[in-house]
Amino acid sequence: MSDTSEKMNQAMFILKQISEDTATPRNIRRAAIQAMEALQTDEDTPAVKASNAISVLDEVSQDPNCPLHSRTKIWNAVSILETISD
């Protein structure tokens, strides 16, 4: 498995945890699902997929209603995705 796909899988795992966490507000879970969908599209390069997911996650991480544990996971996923390049 390539390094890029391994990073994508790590980010997907974190986003899946966020999307399934019932202690996380619904809008943040929805954003995690949108980021996962952005990572799974076939028409973009890995860097573009990561960039699209980062933009969704960056916006929701600023939400004052975001619990600290969810925000930490979001930042973790973003830091993994930022290392992806073409």
Side-chain angles (χ1 to χ4, degrees), residues 1 4 6 33 36 38 43 63 73 76 86:
M1 188 179 290
T4 300
E6 181 64 33
I33 291 170
M36 289 191 315
E43 59 248 12
D63 189 333
K73 286 183 181 181
N76 190 1
D86 288 335

Side-chain angles (χ1 to χ4, degrees), residues 8-81:
M8 291 275 213
N9 288 338
Q10 288 174 350
M12 289 288 288
F13 179 75
I14 294 168
L15 294 171
K16 187 168 172 35
Q17 287 179 328
I18 295 168
S19 70
E20 294 174 349
D21 185 2
T22 57
T24 302
R26 190 175 302 133
N27 65 321
I28 295 165
R29 287 185 281 162
R30 194 176 308 124
I33 291 170
Q34 288 174 347
M36 289 191 315
E37 289 170 353
L39 292 175
Q40 293 173 333
T41 61
D42 290 333
E43 59 248 12
D44 295 324
T45 65
V48 172
K49 291 179 192 180
S51 178
N52 291 339
I54 287 170
S55 82
V56 170
L57 295 173
D58 188 44
E59 182 179 330
V60 80
S61 72
Q62 311 275 334
D63 189 333
N65 294 326
C66 185
L68 192 57
H69 70 278
S70 297
R71 184 170 290 144
T72 304
K73 286 183 181 181
I74 290 169
W75 288 340
N76 190 1
V78 167
S79 68
I80 292 169
L81 292 172

